[in-house]
Amino acid sequence: MTPALAASALLLLFTLGYGGLCAVSPFGNCRKCSGWGFAMKTDRKGRMKRGKDCRRCKATGKRIRVGRWIYNRWARIYRAGTG
C-alpha cells in the first residue's frame, strides 16, 4: 500500500467516524467549562465553590459539535433552495 493511499484511507475513516459521532451524539461537552455549566472558583480559605454560569454554553454544559453545525447549515440551505 502506497503512503498516499494509506493517508487517504485514514482520512476517509476519520471523516466517516466523525460523521457517525455527529449523527449519533450531536452535542458534546463545552470546552470552556468542561461540561459543568459553570466555572469553579476558590474562596479565601482555598475551598472550591461554584462560580459564574458559562456564557459559551449558557450554563447547559453542552455545545453542538462542529460537524453537526456544518450539516445543519447545509441542510437548511438545501431545503431553502429546493422548496
Side-chain angles (χ1 to χ4, degrees):
M1 184 181 276
T2 65
L5 184 61
S8 63
L10 188 63
L11 183 64
L12 181 65
L13 182 67
F14 177 76
T15 303
L16 291 176
Y18 185 69
L21 177 67
C22 289
V24 173
S25 176
F27 295 97
N29 286 339
C30 177
R31 293 184 303 272
K32 185 170 177 115
C33 65
S34 301
W36 285 61
F38 53 87
M40 293 298 289
K41 291 174 52 176
T42 57
D43 61 3
R44 294 196 299 175
K45 293 182 180 179
R47 292 183 295 211
M48 298 298 289
K49 62 183 245 179
R50 188 183 199 279
K52 292 182 179 179
D53 288 345
C54 179
R55 295 186 313 176
R56 184 178 284 178
C57 64
K58 298 181 178 83
T60 60
K62 296 293 181 185
R63 299 244 356 230
I64 194 158
R65 294 186 194 275
V66 175
R68 186 61 183 213
W69 182 86
I70 291 170
Y71 171 76
N72 288 348
R73 183 63 51 119
W74 173 81
R76 187 178 303 126
I77 292 169
Y78 182 77
R79 280 192 303 267
T82 59

